[in-house]
Amino acid sequence: MAFELPALPYARDALAPHISANTLDFHYGKHHQAYVTNLNKLVEGKPAASMPLEEAIKKSWTDKDMGVFNNAAQIWNHTFYWHSMKPNGGGKPTGEIGERITRDFGSYEAFAEQFKQAGATQFGSGWAWLVLDGGKLKVTKTPNAELPLTAGQKALLTMDVWEHAYYLDFQNRRPDYIGTFLDKLVNWEFANKNLA
Ligand code: MN3
């Protein structure tokens, strides 16, 4: 069975005015779709074609099959990113994730500072993450398509910092996009669900 583009968890204009429908038309409709199309071409007739996506990611990483890895991981990363945001999201976390952030970072503000720093300092394309690593919450960043799965970490939340994620709405102002992600978009319920 071919890999498929998962549905967006909200309408394409649902994150406006922070992230526009125009951005989602390109980012979801073109970029995310292209990773699915490319992966299906690359694995046609091969064992990876019938693997669950996470297995295809892990195997291609181990085998250094970077074409398959990059496309498979980018499918996973983008689906995870869409769920890491929601309309009327943002602000301080509640529930278990809120308590764990205070415990492991000292405060929400200290977490936010680290997360902004990770996103702003990822040179070129990549991702900023909140992960669970050995029972402790950590902020990390990865280049290109790389993801916590191959580092043995559990992803709780992600932010895409490839230029295509923000350029139509924020142009070169990556820090403004990052601030908006935290203040207006982040979906803490999703992080709580991943932590559970
Ligand atoms: Mn992207």
Side-chain angles (χ1 to χ4, degrees):
M1 201 184 85
F3 292 99
E4 286 175 7
L5 180 67
L8 263 187
Y10 32 72
R12 291 191 188 191
D13 61 358
L15 303 181
H18 311 299
I19 290 181
S20 63
N22 194 24
T23 288
L24 286 185
D25 279 344
F26 280 95
H27 197 183
Y28 172 74
K30 305 287 186 195
H31 290 277
H32 199 178
Q33 176 65 62
Y35 297 124
V36 175
T37 304
N38 291 340
L39 180 63
N40 282 324
K41 277 186 200 152
L42 286 166
V43 300
E44 202 178 345
K46 296 180 182 169
S50 53
M51 283 179 193
L53 185 60
E54 292 193 7
E55 290 308 309
I57 292 169
K58 284 192 273 190
K59 186 166 188 334
S60 59
W61 177 255
T62 304
D63 295 348
K64 297 189 168 38
D65 185 352
M66 294 316 285
V68 170
F69 173 79
N70 285 334
N71 286 286
Q74 284 292 75
I75 296 172
W76 193 95
N77 291 344
H78 282 89
T79 303
F80 200 78
Y81 169 62
W82 307 133
H83 287 272
S84 294
M85 301 183 286
K86 65 171 190 176
N88 303 311
K92 288 194 177 183
T94 53
E96 178 74 11
I97 195 79
E99 289 167 26
R100 298 283 290 267
I101 281 176
T102 304
R103 192 181 81 193
D104 293 342
F105 293 95
S107 65
Y108 167 75
E109 289 71 22
F111 153 78
E113 196 49 47
Q114 278 192 38
F115 192 80
K116 286 179 187 174
Q117 186 73 7
T121 60
Q122 172 51 44
F123 184 77
S125 298
W127 301 82
W129 304 86
L130 176 63
V131 303
L132 191 59
D133 185 7
K136 204 168 185 282
L137 297 191
K138 279 186 191 163
V139 165
T140 64
K141 57 182 177 174
T142 59
N144 302 317
E146 290 182 32
L147 71 175
L149 181 67
T150 51
Q153 299 163 333
K154 184 171 175 52
L156 302 176
L157 204 68
T158 196
M159 177 176 64
D160 191 342
V161 294
W162 286 56
E163 277 189 350
H164 66 221
Y166 58 86
Y167 213 85
L168 296 175
D169 297 318
F170 296 90
Q171 292 75 50
N172 61 327
R173 294 175 284 114
R174 193 194 281 192
D176 291 353
Y177 158 68
I178 295 172
T180 300
F181 178 92
L182 285 174
D183 294 342
K184 306 289 185 190
L185 295 170
V186 67
N187 182 354
W188 289 116
E189 287 156 34
F190 180 62
N192 266 315
K193 217 171 65 185
N194 292 322
L195 188 60

